[in-house]
Amino acid sequence: MLRARITGTGSAVPEKVLSNADLERMVETSDEWITARTGIKQRRIAAEGEFTSTLAVKAARQALAMAGIGAEELDLIILGTVTPDFPFPATACIIQHELGARNAVAFDLSAACSGFLYGLSIADTYIRGGSAKKALVIGAEVLSRIVDWTDRNTCILFGDGSGAAVVEAYEGDDGILSTHIYSDGAYWETLYQAGCGRRNPASSQRTIDERLFFIRMDGSDVFKHAVRAMEEAAGAALSANGMSASDLSLFIPHQANRRIIDATGKRLGLTPEKVFINLHNYGNTSSASIPIALDEASRAGRLKKGDVVLLDSFGGGFTYGSALLRW
Ligand code: COA
């Protein structure tokens, strides 16, 4: 059977670490509060001159090296991001150029924290349909540029980073077994950036006066929907493949909040050792969180041939989704 499978992964984060102790000096908060409510201990912050494309290219080079292919062999590059270098052209085109992937079609997609899984789903569809053979899917963000560093409700949560995966056509039974992606636009105002699009341009007085350039979020509403949606997407992946949670070797959820991950894992009936968590190191890196986790799990030897791995995401839009892989 013609399938798509991940043959290489990579990740890159900025050098600068911002710890909870650093945040205590910036807003009225504490390491204790942040740790108890989110599980986050530190996050990475992009340096001046470091952009989404900069981080994405680093992760992409690692993924290409692991897959053992050259950039010119790629026929598809998809970047999930909400922090593109520019409104246009697509940051994926800048990445294409930097990599020398001259034979690829490259585009960005905006699905917030589900950006990587949306991209993986599209790459899987292209590959199984015969329209592409070698795809690069990237999630990369510099969220620190759209975070209000005076708002303790949001600034503690987010970080910068990037992760990438090479996805190749393959004849066999392993690889991507299914993807399920969903949107629920009824909640678009629950988590969004109000300014800097065309509705509220960056240059408008209103955007400046009302500080619309920053992330806005109703945290408890997001929390509630996230657990329910991630359970739904995970359940769809398992039932589509006639599996149950006991078949999983590893669950890699979007790294937004430790309590969201624990609640989802509990609802699925997973034991803690089957749930991959690295958000204490990076915070919520939006579209980058799942590919960074996948890369770390792979390089740490936590993914063996034949393992069944479930990826599960939730983000602004709302968007959510899952992918079931046999490694
Ligand atoms: N430090 C200390 N206190 C803080 C704080 C901080 N960084 N941020 C908020 N608080 C305060 C609030 O002001 C509130 O005070 P009040 O009761 O005097 O008004 C109190 O803590 C409780 O706030 P609440 O919103 O009820 O806390 P919570 O348990 O819901 O936790 C979040 C807040 C944001 C951590 C939690 O809602 C969450 O993680 N939501 C999901 C966010 C997310 O993952 N977004 C991305 C999805 S992809």
Side-chain angles (χ1 to χ4, degrees):
M1 184 189 250
L2 177 62
R3 283 197 190 276
R5 73 170 169 178
I6 294 174
T7 55
T9 60
S11 60
V13 294
E15 275 192 16
K16 185 182 171 188
V17 173
L18 187 75
S19 67
N20 290 350
D22 295 326
L23 278 168
E24 285 176 358
R25 291 188 283 274
M26 295 163 65
V27 288
E28 188 64 41
T29 192
S30 65
D31 173 44
E32 196 188 357
W33 193 97
I34 300 171
T35 306
R37 301 292 178 113
T38 72
I40 299 165
K41 298 299 281 183
Q42 60 179 46
R43 63 289 291 143
R44 300 298 183 101
I45 305 295
E48 207 179 316
E50 203 166 27
F51 311 113
T52 289
S53 62
T54 326
L55 296 172
V57 165
K58 284 186 185 165
R61 289 207 167 108
Q62 289 177 17
L64 288 165
M66 190 190 282
I69 67 166
E72 68 291 344
E73 293 179 62
L74 293 171
D75 38 31
L76 180 63
I77 298 175
I78 305 172
L79 170 70
T81 190
V82 292
T83 50
D85 288 14
F86 304 102
F88 78 91
T91 303
C93 291
I94 299 169
I95 296 165
Q96 174 199 18
H97 177 66
E98 294 282 320
L99 293 174
R102 62 188 77 81
N103 300 309
V105 60
F107 58 88
D108 291 359
L109 70 82
S110 174
C113 305
S114 300
F116 179 78
L117 282 194
Y118 268 51
L120 197 64
S121 182
I122 294 168
D124 180 50
T125 305
Y126 265 66
I127 288 173
R128 282 187 298 100
S131 303
K133 286 198 163 55
K134 293 179 200 293
L136 177 65
V137 182
I138 309 168
E141 306 285 2
V142 284
L143 293 171
S144 60
R145 306 255 159 82
I146 60 166
V147 160
D148 181 351
W149 291 104
T150 66
D151 174 16
R152 70 177 184 175
N153 290 291
T154 53
C155 75
I156 57 154
L157 296 172
F158 299 102
D160 301 336
S162 124
V166 170
V167 187
E168 295 189 59
Y170 142 89
E171 283 290 340
D173 295 328
D174 297 341
I176 300 173
L177 304 180
S178 67
T179 63
H180 290 80
I181 54 174
Y182 307 91
S183 314
D184 188 348
Y187 299 96
W188 70 266
E189 282 180 290
T190 308
L191 175 56
Y192 76 124
Q193 184 189 7
C196 303
R198 303 292 78 76
R199 259 200 220 193
N200 299 304
S203 55
S204 84
Q205 197 55 48
R206 182 167 171 247
T207 300
I208 296 161
D209 291 346
E210 296 180 23
R211 300 165 70 81
L212 300 182
F213 19 73
F214 296 127
I215 292 174
R216 295 179 165 213
M217 181 185 74
D218 178 339
S220 56
D221 219 19
V222 170
F223 192 104
K224 206 170 55 201
H225 284 92
V227 176
R228 197 162 48 221
M230 288 175 73
E231 183 190 16
E232 180 192 328
L238 293 172
S239 69
N241 292 281
M243 291 191 196
S244 67
S246 60
D247 295 307
L248 295 177
S249 307
L250 196 62
F251 176 55
I252 303 185
H254 170 48
Q255 308 283 310
N257 181 311
R258 176 76 200 233
R259 290 187 297 145
I260 293 177
I261 295 173
D262 287 348
T264 308
K266 203 168 160 197
R267 284 188 183 204
L268 293 174
L270 290 168
T271 49
E273 62 278 9
K274 284 197 177 177
V275 181
F276 190 88
I277 295 180
N278 65 359
L279 95 165
H280 46 283
N281 288 327
Y282 307 118
N284 180 350
T285 58
S286 191
S287 66
S289 96
I290 288 179
I292 291 174
L294 187 64
D295 183 50
E296 290 197 345
S298 160
R299 288 176 196 273
R302 289 192 66 180
L303 300 174
K304 309 261 182 320
K305 191 171 162 35
D307 277 0
V308 178
V309 183
L310 178 60
L311 314 181
D312 198 7
S313 75
F314 178 84
F318 290 142
T319 59
Y320 53 108
S322 61
L324 195 71
L325 321 173
R326 188 176 289 115
W327 204 251

